Amino acid sequence: MLNLVSPRAKIEPPARTYRNDRGRIEIDNVGIVFDGDRGVHTAVENTSITIEPGQFVCILGPSGCGKSTLLNAVAGYVPPTTGQIRVDGEPVKAPGPDRGMVFQQYSLFPWMTVRENVAFGPRISGRGEPTPEAIADTFIEMVGLTRFAKRYPRELSGGMQQRVGIARALANYPRVLLMDEPFGALDSQTRAMMSENLLKIWAEFGITVLFVTHDIDEAVFLGDRVLVMSASPGRIIADIKIDLPRPRDGDLTVDEGFIRYKRLFHAQIRQESLKAFEQQNR
Ligand code: ADP
Ligand code: MG
């Protein structure tokens, strides 16, 4: 039989903007000390971590242990007192659109529509090809909010606002996505849906994600790797590879393997939470 399609004529898939070759995060001997009203406080104790491009890494730890501080240092909001953070070899000195950040509280511009919010980054960077709105629409579709593009944030539920936040961060084509308890204010069903949606987006882009949470289920469900942070002063006390199959959906959370990981983290987190509780009540 005549085969008209030679194997070499295979059409290459379109190049992914961030396919697993960018987004290495190096946290190199980083210590963060605050000198405040109540004296000197070590928020993060000498920490070294390397995160490979495309990895989904969760930082799990009790409240007040220094998770946000460490993430804010990667984002460039908090300067490390000692050591250095590099993204693809470049030292982090200030916040930049190469590091997309999604916070727990909704941080959209209330006076802008969904489309205007997401188009904002491409517009100010001047890299909005073909147009900032076209880029915005692509990412709004990806988070499933096309029908809401002309709405204002106040007209959306919390979960929808967080999806806009994710679209807005991605529209800058960042190397890494930094997420600080982004689903913390949502009800548990919405959280579960948001996690699944996030994993789909991540699978499509292969972007590096550094995701901070105090929720064990969330960390195990999402992560390739979970870093456990000790009670204050924060340092990484465990670095565990999550060997669960992908793609992952809600059924995984009742899987035996999933529960084994939960048990492992439960003991560690309980101990650290107790320490944190005692510290806070001293
Ligand atoms: P987590 O996100 O794990 O709950 P944080 O990183 O927010 O913890 O805080 C870690 C510790 O650092 C806390 O004790 C907090 O009070 C302190 N801290 C955070 N930011 C500052 C700051 N700007 N000045 C002084 N102390 C701070
Ligand atoms: Mg925090």
Side-chain angles (χ1 to χ4, degrees):
M1 202 176 81
L2 187 64
N3 186 354
L4 291 174
V5 184
S6 95
R8 286 198 192 174
K10 211 176 96 193
I11 296 165
E12 286 297 317
R16 291 288 183 203
T17 315
Y18 4 80
R19 202 55 186 164
N20 289 3
D21 55 352
R22 294 202 322 175
R24 171 178 281 101
I25 303 171
E26 289 166 282
I27 298 173
D28 184 3
N29 279 302
V30 164
I32 302 172
V33 178
F34 290 115
D35 198 352
D37 310 338
R38 294 195 299 158
V40 174
H41 175 76
T42 303
V44 177
E45 207 168 58
N46 205 324
T47 294
S48 292
I49 310 159
T50 299
I51 295 168
E52 297 303 330
Q55 244 184 3
F56 199 124
V57 176
C58 295
I59 299 182
L60 176 66
S63 164
C65 74
K67 304 181 295 295
S68 294
T69 302
L70 187 59
L71 199 74
N72 284 328
V74 179
Y77 293 112
V78 173
T81 313
T82 58
Q84 192 182 55
I85 296 173
R86 294 180 292 275
V87 174
D88 293 330
E90 288 169 37
V92 167
K93 295 199 179 110
D98 62 316
R99 281 149 291 132
M101 183 96 179
V102 182
F103 302 91
Q104 176 174 358
Q105 71 282 13
Y106 320 130
S107 50
L108 304 175
F109 300 122
W111 62 90
M112 290 186 188
T113 64
V114 166
R115 181 182 282 125
E116 287 163 352
N117 264 284
V118 180
F120 182 78
R123 174 165 296 122
I124 58 165
S125 71
R127 288 183 302 177
E129 291 292 324
T131 64
E133 288 71 26
I135 292 176
D137 287 344
T138 306
F139 288 97
I140 290 168
E141 189 187 339
M142 188 174 293
V143 296
L145 291 176
T146 300
R147 285 195 304 124
F148 299 87
K150 289 182 184 157
R151 301 284 189 92
Y152 286 89
R154 64 174 178 277
E155 300 176 278
L156 307 181
S157 70
M160 286 168 162
Q161 291 187 43
Q162 281 309 63
R163 275 144 71 190
V164 179
I166 294 167
R168 190 176 61 169
L170 290 173
N172 291 312
Y173 292 90
R175 292 161 191 259
V176 302
L177 193 55
L178 307 173
M179 307 186 87
D180 192 357
E181 313 221 21
F183 310 146
L186 307 175
D187 64 79
S188 61
Q189 281 81 24
T190 308
R191 281 175 90 125
M193 299 315 296
M194 294 288 289
S195 293
E196 283 190 35
N197 188 240
L198 175 62
L199 284 185
K200 280 197 192 113
I201 291 169
W202 170 74
E204 184 157 343
F205 280 98
I207 189 174
T208 310
V209 180
L210 189 53
F211 188 107
V212 159
T213 180
H214 66 268
D215 186 299
I216 295 173
D217 284 64
E218 194 168 62
V220 177
F221 183 74
L222 292 170
D224 291 321
R225 185 178 164 198
V226 174
L227 306 172
V228 181
M229 211 163 171
S230 70
S232 175
R235 67 203 155 78
I236 304 300
I237 52 171
D239 181 350
I240 311 281
K241 183 169 183 282
I242 305 298
D243 230 338
L244 295 172
R246 293 192 190 269
R248 297 177 186 171
D249 65 26
D251 293 342
L252 181 70
T253 58
V254 290
D255 185 272
E256 231 172 85
F258 185 90
I259 291 162
R260 263 200 299 276
Y261 281 112
K262 267 181 75 163
R263 234 181 247 130
L264 174 76
F265 291 119
H266 184 76
Q268 288 173 331
I269 289 298
R270 189 177 149 69
Q271 198 177 8
E272 294 307 317
S273 300
L274 272 171
K275 273 193 229 162
F277 186 76
E278 281 163 14
Q279 282 169 0
Q280 282 154 15
N281 290 283
R282 220 179 270 151

